[in-house]
Each structure stands twice: as structure tokens, then as C-alpha cells.
């Protein structure tokens, strides 16, 4: 059986979102050969999806990292296994290949947290960032009535994006109570850039009601439209619309890090001052290392890229910030403080745990309802006895939901960490060691 | 525990074998306590294929497999929906004339003992399973072999045992067996006339000298492709892989689940304690499977995992008294036939406890045969 | 990036901007139900980023492809639940499929 294709580099970067682009640029600037793998059709991650063609200003200087001669982007590539420290396996539509690397920087970002409620599985109900991603990839929403609901400042960005594409955003429903959000808004004076962002959002969305302390309790489908029932804790009312874009914050994509042997703490990848994880030579940056937004992702990406390059050149020398540029360290500190403030302000209320009815689907891949899960002792028992988490999403959607609903923790991951073709999985066991030539790509 | 009378039998280990023993004993009116260190049905029971197959490599294997298969059949209508009991049958695949002759001999042997079996030539094989590659010689169809999902059967068996008075404790690890006492990690003790050890490959940890070794296996499950494969497909060389004690081997073994997913196996490794997925072994196993079903290559694999079978030196399970330890009954060492032979094992264990005759001879499985042999 | 791409969705010709996702093409065809769940409920994309697997459709004969993560190509053949793609077996005896809010 012929060996699968392989590429070699000094630094492997997983994820071509803001953090990954920052890391790639920093590592290449320090003299490393860099391979960037990203599972989307193009670079930019979620925030800058389609930014290449939409020429988004903020993204351009970071996307420029991909122009560096020592940086190679392989798009549409999903990392699924790691056969040795220094050898990762990825799959594209064309097949599987190995990436031999000395250091890795993991920037797999975050996904949205979905809280099950009656009707959340109807077509027309999607995530908030989810609908934004679909729209950026060409889904038309012009003239459609959209209710944006859930939690977090992300809802503003989503509403603006939808409006830009001609949607009628009927309202934004934020579950966090008014008092907390107002305090957070007042605190933005500590981050003037964020204040400016917020003001710009507000200006762009004048005329779109922003209801605080408000959340959805049910979506019902009609022939060609949806009825969304909202509540503010005192009364309920229905809103007729075409789409509901709803998500309750973000969950770090920690699976690639688990695959690389990194310790996870508090739902994010544990990193030291140089963004190094507990796995030697493996760094992490961006949302996966802590949900703190764009500025943190960029600062952390730069630090991780420099640290990965440094380690390559001189050998790792301890978890200090020595040698890292002071301005970037300052940016990271400030951005993380913003992230903490955000997490506090938009923490999810207990009411959301009571939305699901006994027959509300919790595991969408296998149609497992809340009633089947409520009596289970934990995640593993639920998986084995109800099939929850046994579908193609591998528990990414229902695992976060059951953690929120029942406090269950998900257990370790095994390869393949994404569904892959059987011949790709076979290829993983047939890699010659780095230095022995397989066909190159 | 202090308010109820002490048990007559303590079953240590609630995998499919332990659960079946507890169920059988409770049905017969024996007071049973079950102690499971982790999640009932969460060990090898959850890792295996759930294939109920009448294997016939040798006489004792055939007898216990046939007995157990018939007991599964009888129980099937009562099983819960999650058990997904189905009867796709097993189709043993022959690659050449030599294997086809072996298949013909097995067919005659099955029929002579009341097991439905049918020979297929190359054409019939291709019609029965279009996904198989061209150029195969034919096969042996055993239409009444079944497939089940054991992690849903175990809780049901334990519930049925509870209804008849059994006490079942999960998360209760037994630290030592001292005479007729099972002493748990938390210091508590359970004393009973009989202790049934059904902990699979971990048995020697509790009773040193029990001749079982861990034999690691890999499995992969795919997304849903209904109708792609209709029967459980096994290469005729599988029996060699299962019975030989070579340190590692793979054999083609693919099962259609009622969901339309395919379960792809099989691999065996002795002397490996690490439960991590071994990509080299996985590749060998998957390549072997693709040799028989080329179309497997493009199917999506959702998960891969490992499990440890309990292997004995002679390939027969250990069912019966452990010499020198009054009241201790072993119910382990089932290698790759644990699901199939769970109910036959339970029947033999209950027969020993109740001092009644068994429908098949017990001698070939008695642990005494191996006492003193090096595992 | 100003080209157009033509592909078929459930047998109908649909034109999209070059670089658009298969999910966008399906939406352009007016289709909201991409696939049926294992108990027969209609489903469409949820996460838009390749995580939830609710947007699975058959592309050029290959089932379980993620529409949201696949860029349209000229002549691509997309089949959604309306084409019976893929024919997903039910899980065996169980409740009849429900299409109301759950």
C-alpha cells in the first residue's frame, strides 16, 4: 500500500482565523516554514469568513500572512489524528495527508452554544453566528424577517451583517438582565476601541429594538414562516418571522487540543505565559485558549507564533515572557480583561435550563429527547444507553447542551476527531516517519 | 444494606456476563447482590460488536454458543427497543476453492446439528452482497445469527433482577475477595455462600492465577448507509485469528447495524495494556476490510475505539469453581464470544449454585482444567 | 470573483455567485429542509460552520457531505431530502415521525 502524501514544516498552525493568521505571520517573520490548515473553504475563520472577497479592512493586514513565501495554506483540510508528536493527519476532499512539524500552534476557535428549547430543530432556526456564516457564504436573506436572540455582543455583529445583506432584523433579544448589560456598557470606557465598536453597532442598528432580559421559549413552524414566542420573565408574546438566529454564547473547540495531548481547564485549552500548552512544543491561541474576542486572539496568535519559532530555533526555555514584544503582551492582558468582563456580563440565566420540555430533542444527530437524558447519571451512560453524542457531530452540539442542562462533563476524545473517510483513517497508520520520503503535495 | 437479609450470591462485575448471571440467579429465586466498579455494561460489553454467532471451531465452543444463541432467540421479544435485536445472519466469505470446500464442510456440520445453513456460489454471493469485490469464490450463510446492542440489554437485565429482589450497586469497586467475603474499596463487605467473578480481563487482579489475558481489539463505526451491507460478513480465516495466540492479527468482519451504520472489525493484540487507538493496527484492520469491500474506502468513519477481550490459553471460557477457593465461581475468559455465550454461561452458573443438571456438559469450561497452567 | 456557477439541486438548475456554498445554492432553490432526522423530522443548517452536521446532503452521488462547508462547482449535482437522499433507515420500531416543534 503506497504511503499517503506528506508535507513538512517547522510550525503547523491549525486554524486560519484571526489567531491562526497572527501566529502564521509571526512564525514566518521569525524565519519558520509554516503550514496552515483550515477546514473552511477559505481563510478568515468565522469572524472574517469571506473576508478575502469582501476586502474587509481590518482583516487585510492579517490575511497578508498567507502571501509570505514561507507560509502555505491548505484550505478545506480537517485535522483528524496525530500519530506521533510531530505528525498530524488531515483530510481534504482529495484525500488524507500527513503534516510533519516541529512545533504546532492550535487556533481552532469556538463554536456557538445551543440551548435546546421547543422548536429549536425546525428548519429556519439557526445559530446567530451560524446564520451570519451562511449569509457570508452566499445564503440570501434579503427581505426576510429575522429575530436575533440569545446572548453576547456577537448578536450585534450578526444583526448588522444581516441588515447589510438586506434582511429585516425585527429585534435583538438578549437574555442577560438589563442591569448587568448596562454596567458592562458603562465599563467599556476601559476599552475605548470596544466603546467605539459598540457605538457603531448601536448607530447601525437604530430602529432595531434591543430587548434585554428577554429570551425565546418556543419556535413554531407554519407553512412558510416561524412564530417565535419570547418572554421577559413576566409576560410572553409571539413574533412572526422568517428566520430565528439564536445562540447563547460560545464554546471553545478543544477537540484538536485534546488530540494533541493538551490539558483542558474550565472548558478551554490551558496555556502558560508563552501560550504553550501542557503538551511540549504545542501552543494554543485565540478562542480555544479562552473566550475573549478578536483583540485577544490576535495578540495571543502573535505571541504563540513567536514562541513556537523561538522554541524551534533555540529549544524551549521555560514559561516566561522574556523576549516577547511588550506592546503585544499589553494588548493580550487588556483583551483578556475584556473577555472576563464579557463572560461575567453575559453569563447564562438559570431560566434557560428549564426551556426544554420532555419531548424536546437534545441530541439532534440521533433524535434523543430531554426525557431520555434527564435520568442518566452522566455523559458516558447517556451516550451508551441513549445514543446521545454517537452521531456525526461527535457530541459537539449535545455535549455542550447537556453540560449546561445537567452539569455533565464530556470525556476524552479519540481519533478520528472529525468524521473522515475510511481510507483516510487507514492512511493514518501508514505514514513513514518524517525524513523518509512519501509522495509530496 | 443492613435491613435486607444477606445475599446468597454476590456477582462481581456487571458486564453482559455478570448481568446475565444475576438475572438468571434472581429468576431462580436466589438472593443476589451485584457489585460493579464503573458503569454496568460499560466495559468490554460496550466495546464489542454485539454479534450473536454460533461459532463451531470445536465441539465445546459450538455447544455453548448454540445453547446461548437459542436463549437469546427466546428472550428477543422481551428485550427493550434500545437493544436493537436483529437477525441479519452471518455470511462467511470464501476467497478461493480451498476456503469454499471448508465452507461446505461447515455447512454440513451445522445442518447435522440443527443449525440452518446454506452454501452460496460466487454468483449467489454477489447477489446476496453486491458490495463485496469481484472474484470471491462463494460463501456460507447462517441466516439465524443475530446482532444486538448489549449496553441497552445490561440495564434491562439488572432491572429485571431488581424486580425479583436483587441488589445492584454501580460505582462499587471490589478491592479483594477473601474467602466468602467481597471487600469493597469503601471498606464495606458483602458475604455470601457464592461469589461469581465476572470481571472479564481484570479477573486476575482480584484472584491471582486466574488464566486470562487481555486481548486488545479495535472497531470503527460508520455513518448511516442503509442497505450497503445486508449480513454480518466474516472471512473464513476469522476463526484462525480468534483461536491462534499469535501476538497480533486482523480478520475481515463487518456488521450492518439496524441504523444502517456499519461496524468494521476485527483486530487482536496480546500483551498490550494501552487502550489508545493504535493507528498501525487500525490501518491493517481497515485495509483488510477494504480488500473484501472496496466501497468501504469512501464511507465516513464516525468513531474508532478499543476494548479488551478476556483470552484463556485454550480458547474456552472459564465457567465454574476456582479450585482451592470454596464458593468462588468464575464466569470469565469469553474472548470474542462474550455476548453470544452470556446466557449459556448464566445458565451453567445457576445450575452450579442450585445443584441441578445442565443442558450441556460443564467439564470443558471448568477452571480446574487450567489450574496451575501459565496463562 | 465575479463569475457565476451553475449546478443542479434536486434536478433543478440553480445559478450562484462563484465561491458560494452548496448551502447557499439550496437556499436559492427555495429549499429549507436539507435532510430528514433519524425519526423523519425536516432539518436545515444550524451552525453554518461544519460542526452540527445538520446540513448533510448528497453531492455528486456521495452522501453525508456538509453543504455549508462545500463551495459550489460547475455542474455539481446536489440532492437533498426531497430527492430521498440518502435513504435513512429509521431506528427500528419507534414513535412515528413528528414534524411539529420538538
Amino acid at each position: 500500500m503506497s504511503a499517503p502524501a506528506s508535507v513538512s514544516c517547522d510550525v503547523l498552525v491549525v486554524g486560519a482565523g484571526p489567531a491562526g493568521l497572527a501566529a502564521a505571520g509571526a512564525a514566518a517573520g521569525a524565519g519558520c516554514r509554516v503550514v496552515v490548515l483550515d477546514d473552511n473553504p477559505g481563510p478568515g475563520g468565522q469572524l472574517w469568513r469571506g473576508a478575502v472577497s469582501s476586502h474587509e479592512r481590518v482583516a487585510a493586514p492579517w490575511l497578508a500572512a498567507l502571501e509570505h513565501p514561507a507560509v502555505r495554506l491548505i484550505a478545506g483540510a480537517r485535522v483528524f489524528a496525530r500519530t506521533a508528536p510531530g505528525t498530524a493527519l488531515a483530510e481534504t476532499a482529495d484525500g488524507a495527508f500527513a503534516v510533519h512539524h516541529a512545533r504546532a500552534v492550535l487556533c481552532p476557535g469556538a463554536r456557538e452554544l445551543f440551548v435546546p428549547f421547543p422548536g429549536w430543530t425546525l428548519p429556519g432556526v439557526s445559530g446567530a453566528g451560524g446564520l451570519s456564516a451562511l449569509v457570508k457564504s452566499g445564503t440570501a436573506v434579503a427581505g426576510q424577517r429575522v429575530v436575533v436572540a440569545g446572548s453576547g455582543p456577537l448578536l450585534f455583529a450578526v444583526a448588522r451583517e444581516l441588515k447589510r445583506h438586506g434582511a429585516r432584523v425585527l429585534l435583538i433579544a438578549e437574555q442577560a438582565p438589563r442591569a448587568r448589560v448596562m454596567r458592562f456598557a458603562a465599563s467599556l470606557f476601559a476599552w475605548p476601541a470596544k466603546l467605539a465598536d459598540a457605538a457603531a453597532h448601536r448607530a447601525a442598528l437604530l430602529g432595531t429594538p434591543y430587548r434585554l432580559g428577554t429570551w425565546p421559549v418556543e419556535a413554531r413552524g407554519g407553512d412558510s414562516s416561524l412564530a417565535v414566542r419570547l418572554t421577559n420573565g413576566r409576560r410572553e408574546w409571539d413574533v412572526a418571522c422568517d428566520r430565528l438566529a439564536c445562540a447563547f454564547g460560545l464554546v471553545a473547540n478543544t477537540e484538536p487540543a485534546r488530540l494533541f495531548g493538551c490539558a483542558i481547564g474550565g472548558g478551554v485549552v490551558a496555556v502558560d505565559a508563552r501560550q504553550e500548552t501542557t503538551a511540549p512544543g504545542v501552543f494554543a491561541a485565540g478562542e480555544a485558549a479562552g473566550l475573549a474576542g478578536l483583540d485577544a486572539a490576535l495578540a495571543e496568535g502573535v505571541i504563540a507564533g513567536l514562541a513556537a519559532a523561538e522554541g524551534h530555533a533555540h529549544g524551549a526555555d521555560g514559561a516566561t515572557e522574556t523576549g516577547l514584544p511588550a506592546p503585544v503582551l499589553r494588548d493580550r492582558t487588556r483583551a483578556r480583561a475584556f473577555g472576563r468582563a464579557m463572560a461575567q456580563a453575559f453569563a447564562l440565566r438559570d431560566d434557560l435550563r428549564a426551556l426544554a420540555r420532555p419531548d424536546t430533542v437534545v441530541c439532534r444527530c440521533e433524535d434523543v429527547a430531554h426525557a431520555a437524558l434527564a435520568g442518566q447519571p452522566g455523559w458516558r451512560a447517556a451516550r451508551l444507553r441513549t445514543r446521545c453524542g454517537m452521531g456525526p457531530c461527535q457530541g459537539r452540539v449535545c455535549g455542550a447542551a447537556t453540560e449546561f442542562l445537567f452539569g455533565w462533563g464530556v470525556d476524552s476524545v479519540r481519533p478520528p476527531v472529525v468524521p473522515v473517510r475510511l481510507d483516510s483513517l487507514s492512511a493514518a497508520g501508514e505514514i513513514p516517519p518524517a525524513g523518509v520520503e512519501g509522495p509530496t503535495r | 444494606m443492613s435491613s435486607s437479609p444477606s445475599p446468597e450470591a454476590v456477582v462481581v462485575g456487571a458486564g453482559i456476563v455478570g448481568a446475565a448471571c444475576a438475572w438468571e440467579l434472581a429468576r431462580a429465586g436466589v438472593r443476589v447482590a451485584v457489585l460493579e466498579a464503573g458503569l454496568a455494561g460499560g466495559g468490554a460489553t460496550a466495546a464489542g460488536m454485539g454479534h450473536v454467532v454460533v461459532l463451531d471451531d470445536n465441539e465445546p465452543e459450538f455447544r455453548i454458543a448454540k445453547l446461548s444463541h437459542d436463549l437469546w432467540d427466546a428472550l428477543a421479544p422481551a428485550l427493550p427497543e434500545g437493544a436493537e435485536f436483529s437477525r441479519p445472519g452471518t455470511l462467511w466469505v470464501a476467497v478461493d476453492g480451498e476456503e469454499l470446500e471448508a465452507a461446505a464442510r461447515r455447512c454440513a456440520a451445522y445442518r447435522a446439528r440443527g443449525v440452518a445453513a446454506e452454501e452460496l456460489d460466487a454468483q449467489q454471493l454477489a447477489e446476496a452482497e453486491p458490495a463485496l469485490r469481484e472474484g470471491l469464490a462463494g460463501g456460507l450463510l447462517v441466516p439465524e445469527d443475530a446482532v444486538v446492542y448489549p449496553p441497552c440489554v445490561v440495564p434491562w437485565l439488572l432491572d429485571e433482577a431488581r424486580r425479583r429482589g436483587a441488589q445492584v450497586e454501580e460505582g462499587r469497586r471490589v478491592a479483594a475477595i477473601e474467602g466468602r467475603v467481597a471487600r469493597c474499596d469503601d471498606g464495606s463487605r458483602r458475604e455470601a455462600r457464592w461469589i461469581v467473578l465476572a470481571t472479564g480481563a481484570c479477573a486476575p487482579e482480584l484472584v491471582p492465577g486466574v488464566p486470562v489475558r487481555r486481548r486488545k481489539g479495535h472497531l470503527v463505526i460508520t455513518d448511516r448507509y442503509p442497505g450497503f451491507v445486508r449480513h454480518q460478513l466474516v472471512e473464513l480465516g476469522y476463526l484462525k485469528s480468534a483461536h491462534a495466540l499469535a501476538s497480533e492479527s486482523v480478520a475481515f468482519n463487518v456488521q450492518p447495524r439496524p441504523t444502517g451504520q456499519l461496524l468494521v472489525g476485527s483486530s487482536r493484540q496480546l500483551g498490550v495494556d494501552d487502550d489508545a487507538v493504535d493507528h498501525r493496527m487500525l490501518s491493517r484492520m481497515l485495509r483488510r476490510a477494504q480488500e473484501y469491500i472496496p466501497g468501504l474506502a469512501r464511507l465516513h468513519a464516525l468513531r474508532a475505539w478499543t476494548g479488551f477481550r478476556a483470552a484463556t490459553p485454550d480458547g474456552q471460557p472459564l465457567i465454574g469453581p476456582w479450585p482451592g477457593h470454596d464458593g468462588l465461581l468464575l464466569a470469565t475468559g469469553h474472548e470474542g464470544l462474550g455476548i453470544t455465550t452470556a446466557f449459556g454461561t448464566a445458565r451453567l452458573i445457576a445450575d452450579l449454585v442450585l445443584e441441578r443438571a445442565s443442558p450441556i456438559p460443564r467439564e470443558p469450561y471448568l477452571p480446574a482444567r487450567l489450574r496451575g497452567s501459565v496463562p | 470573483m465575479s463569475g457565476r456557477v451553475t449546478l443542479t439541486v434536486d434536478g433543478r438548475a440553480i445559478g450562484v455567485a462563484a465561491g458560494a456554498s452548496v448551502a447557499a445554492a439550496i437556499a436559492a432553490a427555495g429549499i429549507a429542509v436539507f435532510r430528514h432526522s433519524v425519526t423523519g423530522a425536516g432539518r436545515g443548517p444550524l451552525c453554518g460552520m461544519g460542526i452540527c452536521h445538520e446540513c448533510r446532503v448528497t453531492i455528486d452521488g456521495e452522501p453525508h457531505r456538509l453543504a455549508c462547508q462545500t463551495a459550489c462547482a460547475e455542474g455539481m449535482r446536489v440532492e437533498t431530502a426531497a430527492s430521498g437522499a440518502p435513504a435513512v433507515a429509521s431506528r427500528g420500531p419507534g414513535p412515528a415521525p413528528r414534524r411539529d416543534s420538538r
Side-chain angles (χ1 to χ4, degrees):
Chain A
M1 201 44 66
S2 64
S6 70
V7 295
S8 292
C9 61
D10 303 315
V11 178
L12 164 63
V13 176
V14 175
L21 292 171
C32 294
R33 291 172 305 153
V34 180
V35 165
V36 183
L37 301 178
D38 189 276
D39 62 340
N40 298 287
Q46 306 316 322
L47 205 58
W48 294 339
R49 182 179 289 271
V52 171
S53 51
S54 67
H55 306 294
E56 184 156 338
R57 253 186 339 106
V58 177
W62 302 96
L63 283 166
L66 300 178
E67 316 282 322
H68 192 294
V71 176
R72 178 178 173 187
L73 168 69
I74 304 177
R78 304 191 342 144
V79 174
F80 67 91
R82 183 196 194 219
T83 53
T87 302
L89 269 291
E91 181 195 67
T92 64
D94 295 331
F97 62 99
V99 181
H100 299 293
H101 55 278
R103 298 279 189 275
V105 183
L106 307 179
C107 309
R111 56 185 182 263
E112 292 191 290
L113 174 65
F114 299 111
V115 175
F117 58 88
W120 77 295
T121 55
L122 289 169
V125 178
S126 64
L131 184 57
S132 179
L134 290 166
V135 162
K136 285 176 182 172
S137 306
T139 293
V141 289
Q144 293 180 16
R145 300 160 299 169
V146 185
V147 170
V148 177
S151 195
L154 175 62
L155 299 184
F156 281 124
V158 168
R160 277 183 79 177
E161 188 70 33
L162 294 174
K163 277 194 80 174
R164 246 185 244 129
H165 284 83
R168 284 174 50 205
V169 180
L170 299 180
L171 77 143
I172 302 171
E174 165 60 58
Q175 57 87 32
R178 161 167 288 274
R180 259 201 267 140
V181 177
M182 290 295 114
R183 266 202 304 278
F184 175 71
S187 79
L188 286 181
F189 282 98
W191 299 280
K194 291 296 179 195
L195 189 60
D197 274 352
H201 283 321
R202 209 64 199 93
L205 292 167
L206 274 177
T208 303
Y210 180 50
R211 300 272 175 257
L212 294 163
T214 302
W215 61 94
V217 292
E218 183 175 12
R220 287 190 314 284
D223 266 343
S224 56
S225 66
L226 287 173
V228 178
R229 175 156 296 186
L230 298 168
T231 186
N232 58 9
R234 293 181 303 280
R235 66 179 183 96
E236 293 183 351
W237 67 98
D238 286 346
V239 179
C241 60
D242 299 303
R243 289 181 183 271
L244 170 61
C246 176
F248 293 90
L250 298 176
V251 172
N253 289 326
T254 56
E255 292 78 12
R258 288 182 197 266
L259 179 68
F260 275 68
C262 310
I264 310 297
V268 298
V269 186
V271 293
D272 65 15
R274 293 164 74 246
Q275 302 293 138
E276 190 163 12
T277 69
T278 54
V282 180
F283 300 79
E287 301 285 75
L291 301 168
L294 175 63
D295 295 339
L298 293 171
E300 289 179 4
V302 169
I303 292 166
L306 291 174
E310 178 184 291
H312 167 74
H314 305 298
D317 72 339
T320 67
E321 298 180 344
T322 321
L324 299 168
V328 181
L329 291 172
R330 271 200 307 272
D331 284 347
R332 180 177 66 178
T333 306
R334 284 163 48 80
R336 279 180 171 172
F338 173 76
R340 282 192 299 275
M342 210 174 42
Q344 247 201 356
F346 296 98
L348 298 182
R349 61 199 310 147
D350 287 334
D351 302 274
L352 300 175
R353 289 189 178 84
L355 298 180
R357 296 192 195 127
D359 65 346
T360 302
V361 166
V362 173
C363 167
R364 298 174 65 124
C365 295
E366 298 292 323
D367 278 1
V368 185
H370 189 276
L373 297 174
Q376 297 293 339
W379 174 247
R380 185 146 193 271
R383 270 185 63 217
L384 285 179
R385 293 174 180 174
T386 71
R387 306 183 54 83
C388 176
M390 302 265 251
C393 95
Q394 299 179 328
R396 284 175 174 81
V397 174
C398 58
T402 55
E403 178 161 18
F404 178 70
L405 291 174
F406 309 120
W408 296 346
V410 177
D411 48 27
S412 57
V413 300
R414 278 181 305 244
V417 298
V418 287
V420 290
R421 290 187 301 276
L422 270 160
D423 60 4
S424 296
L425 195 50
S426 307
E430 293 158 349
I431 318 280
V436 175
E437 282 310 303
T440 51
R441 287 173 50 121
Chain B
M1 287 301 295
S2 55
S3 54
S4 45
S6 63
E8 295 161 289
V10 166
V11 175
V12 181
I16 190 72
V17 172
C21 288
W23 173 77
E24 184 73 56
L25 288 166
R27 281 197 324 156
V30 176
R31 274 195 318 278
V32 183
V34 182
L35 303 172
E36 163 56 51
L39 188 65
T45 294
M49 279 183 123
H51 189 195
V52 181
V53 54
V54 182
L55 280 195
D56 64 339
D57 179 75
N58 54 72
E59 189 63 24
E61 175 173 86
F62 173 80
R63 285 212 186 102
I64 192 164
K66 175 80 169 71
L67 166 67
S68 305
H69 175 280
D70 292 347
L71 291 171
W72 270 108
D73 255 357
L75 195 57
L79 291 173
E81 180 196 330
E84 294 180 347
F85 190 88
S86 67
R87 288 188 184 84
T90 306
L91 213 171
W92 297 86
V93 179
V95 298
D96 56 24
E98 189 185 331
E99 286 194 350
L100 198 56
E101 277 168 28
R105 285 193 297 276
R106 274 181 74 191
C107 187
Y110 273 131
R111 282 183 170 161
R113 297 144 88 188
V115 176
E118 196 184 317
E119 289 168 64
L120 304 182
D121 63 25
Q123 164 94 342
Q124 290 164 325
L125 180 68
E127 279 161 21
E129 289 290 358
L132 286 169
R133 70 163 167 87
E134 291 179 357
L136 294 167
L140 164 65
L141 173 63
V142 184
E144 283 162 16
D145 279 349
V147 161
V148 73
Y149 183 62
C152 281
V153 177
V154 165
W156 180 81
L157 287 171
L158 295 174
D159 279 343
E160 291 288 297
R162 278 190 189 92
R163 289 204 302 119
R164 290 172 174 90
Q167 307 274 337
V168 178
E169 294 173 76
E170 285 175 273
R172 182 75 63 212
R173 174 176 295 278
V174 171
I177 300 177
E178 293 149 354
R180 291 188 176 183
V181 172
R183 184 166 53 77
C184 301
D185 255 1
D186 66 346
S188 65
R189 301 156 88 253
R190 311 280 186 279
E191 180 165 358
R193 168 73 183 89
W194 302 99
I195 297 183
V196 179
L197 184 62
T199 55
C202 311
E205 289 168 27
L206 276 176
V207 181
V210 168
V212 291
R213 292 181 66 186
R214 293 153 69 88
R215 204 152 185 221
K216 185 178 180 184
H218 287 76
L219 284 176
V220 171
I221 194 161
T222 70
D223 205 333
R224 296 169 184 239
Y225 301 93
F228 186 72
V229 163
R230 294 97 184 256
H231 310 82
Q232 176 131 7
L233 299 174
V234 190
E235 64 168 285
L236 277 160
Y238 174 86
L239 287 175
K240 269 207 307 283
S241 171
H243 281 283
L245 278 182
S247 63
E248 67 174 55
S249 62
V250 299
F252 166 64
N253 190 345
V254 169
Q255 177 188 94
R257 307 288 313 171
T259 57
Q261 295 173 278
L262 294 186
L263 204 44
V264 182
S266 62
S267 81
R268 285 173 159 79
Q269 284 168 285
L270 265 180
V272 175
D273 263 337
D274 175 9
D275 68 352
V277 167
D278 177 337
H279 283 287
R280 193 187 48 86
M281 271 316 277
L282 199 63
S283 275
R284 277 192 62 190
M285 183 181 91
L286 293 176
R287 290 295 181 205
R288 185 78 180 153
Q290 287 169 74
E291 282 170 28
Y292 284 80
I293 304 180
L296 276 181
R298 307 277 312 168
L299 303 189
H300 293 182
L302 298 188
R303 277 189 315 285
W305 64 91
T306 65
F308 289 94
R309 307 173 184 84
T312 58
D314 61 359
Q316 299 300 339
L318 297 163
I319 308 173
W322 180 241
H325 194 138
D326 183 43
L328 179 61
L329 300 175
L330 302 187
T332 180
H334 294 85
E335 222 271 343
L337 267 190
I339 308 301
T340 300
T341 59
F343 292 107
T345 301
R347 177 63 200 270
L348 297 187
I349 291 289
D351 290 343
L352 285 163
V353 166
L354 296 162
E355 293 174 3
R356 48 177 204 205
S358 292
I360 58 173
R362 298 196 285 250
E363 286 71 38
Y365 323 108
L366 292 176
R369 74 189 192 271
L370 293 172
R371 182 72 157 128
S373 72
V374 177
Chain C
M1 289 302 292
S2 58
R4 304 278 299 170
V5 170
T6 307
L7 62 158
T8 63
V9 177
D10 293 335
R12 289 174 44 203
I14 300 289
V16 294
S21 68
V22 171
I26 294 170
I31 294 168
V33 174
F34 281 48
R35 61 179 282 267
H36 288 133
S37 76
V38 300
T39 58
R43 295 282 171 82
L46 174 74
C47 78
M49 52 185 74
I51 299 280
C52 72
H53 286 71
E54 288 281 45
C55 67
R56 281 176 288 160
V57 292
T58 299
I59 299 178
D60 293 336
E62 191 173 336
H64 302 307
R65 298 282 307 276
L66 300 182
C68 76
Q69 292 286 68
T70 308
C72 293
E74 187 68 30
M76 208 177 231
R77 209 175 70 248
V78 175
E79 293 163 278
T80 72
S83 296
V88 176
S90 77
R91 286 190 300 154
R98 296 179 57 187
R99 289 163 204 278
D100 53 8
S101 60
R102 273 189 300 150

